[in-house]
Amino acid sequence: MKFEQSPPRAVVPTWMCRLFAALVDARADHRDALLDAPRSLSALSQEHPHGWGVAVWSESEGWTIEKAPVRAQDCARFRACATRPGNLVLAHVRQRTVGPQGVENTHPFAHGRWVFAHNGTIEALAWLRAQTCPGRQGRCEGQTDSELFFAYLQGALDAAGVLDAPASEVTDAVIRAAVDRCLAQERFGAINFLLTDGETLYAHRWGRTMFVSEGAGRALVASEALADHPWREVPEGTLLRCDRRSSPAWREVPRLS
């Protein structure tokens, strides 16, 4: 896996939230990264206590999403979700910035085939609202910048006619262009995010740390190295894609020329 080099930029040393996702070619759980490792999401929830969410996708059941606006380490439901097997798991622990503590503001967010989680704070909220159609904004259940950004991405995919279609090269180009429009703003803010339909997983880094690992029929992504895997840091501004049905491996979505 090779990454394009992006312009150097200082990463803001603020924790905000923590992300983890794993895409595997056979059903598995990921209790090590979620529960058992010294820097598991459960352990990290001591610093990120304002909610947790776990989305699990399997071929037989589709999406199962559970979340609660409480500290993951103190929640029996989180421990049960952390051991649920699936072909893809996406997990998040929240340290709130925009929007109060509540289930409506707890990641991940879901709409249609897509599930989304975000790490960072978006500063250019007025610009983002202006770029997001009122109908999609009206579907937001909470008040977070994260859910608004998810609505913005859905609007871009819908305008291109690929919102309800399996991920393709068109999907890649739409997401890349939508993100680049944001980063062209002088002070947009941090957008580390994960976006998935259960078959394809996108990961983008800007403004916070992000690491990936792959091998043995699995691909992992996390805000930091959570467990005993060979992790690689993702360069700033990188958009990655991984597909479950092609022996999970990360590849970079190139910038548009």
Side-chain angles (χ1 to χ4, degrees):
M1 174 179 57
K2 294 182 179 179
F3 295 125
E4 290 183 354
Q5 293 299 313
S6 55
R9 179 180 180 273
V11 175
V12 180
T14 306
W15 289 110
M16 299 302 176
C17 305
R18 298 283 87 181
L19 300 166
F20 171 79
L23 191 153
V24 295
D25 58 10
R27 282 167 57 96
D29 69 49
H30 299 278
R31 64 169 299 141
D32 189 28
L34 298 183
L35 284 180
D36 297 338
R39 297 291 286 177
S40 69
L41 256 63
S42 177
L44 290 169
S45 72
Q46 295 180 63
E47 305 160 6
H48 307 80
H50 300 127
W52 63 267
V54 178
V56 178
W57 188 91
S58 67
E59 287 186 302
S60 58
E61 301 174 11
W63 282 114
T64 300
I65 302 174
E66 294 196 40
K67 51 187 181 178
V70 299
R71 190 194 310 267
Q73 194 171 58
D74 302 334
C75 186
R77 281 178 58 208
F78 175 80
R79 292 191 291 274
C81 291
T83 59
R84 181 174 293 151
N87 300 102
L88 187 146
V89 61
L90 186 156
H92 182 276
V93 289
R94 184 184 183 215
Q95 185 182 88
R96 67 179 177 86
T97 52
V98 180
Q101 187 172 354
V103 69
E104 71 279 5
N105 291 322
T106 303
H107 307 223
F109 304 101
H111 188 270
R113 66 187 293 117
W114 296 103
V115 172
F116 172 87
H118 170 236
N119 171 22
T121 299
I122 295 171
E123 299 176 38
L125 288 176
W127 181 88
L128 187 60
R129 289 192 184 97
Q131 302 300 310
T132 307
C133 71
R136 296 225 164 262
Q137 292 188 52
R139 295 189 184 102
C140 292
E141 298 180 356
Q143 301 80 41
T144 63
D145 51 343
S146 306
E147 191 179 14
L148 177 62
F149 184 77
F150 182 33
Y152 163 75
L153 290 179
Q154 291 174 75
L157 293 169
D158 197 17
V162 295
L163 178 64
D164 299 319
S168 66
E169 291 184 357
V170 176
T171 314
D172 295 356
V174 170
I175 296 172
R176 179 75 264 180
V179 169
D180 286 349
R181 285 194 296 273
C182 296
L183 298 184
Q185 305 307 302
E186 184 174 357
R187 291 179 59 86
F188 185 79
I191 44 171
N192 272 30
F193 69 81
L194 304 177
L195 177 70
T196 178
D197 64 355
E199 292 287 350
T200 297
L201 174 63
Y202 291 96
H204 179 262
R205 179 192 175 183
W206 186 264
R208 300 291 182 267
T209 57
M210 179 175 281
F211 296 82
V212 293
S213 180
E214 61 189 9
R218 68 186 174 193
L220 312 177
V221 57
S223 299
E224 57 184 272
L226 298 178
D228 188 18
H229 299 291
W231 296 93
R232 292 186 62 186
E233 187 169 7
V234 178
E236 277 280 84
T238 302
L239 175 65
L240 298 175
R241 170 178 172 163
C242 181
D243 297 285
R244 186 174 65 83
R245 295 188 181 276
S246 57
S247 184
W250 291 106
R251 65 175 180 82
E252 184 171 358
V253 176
R255 286 185 171 83
L256 304 177
S257 58

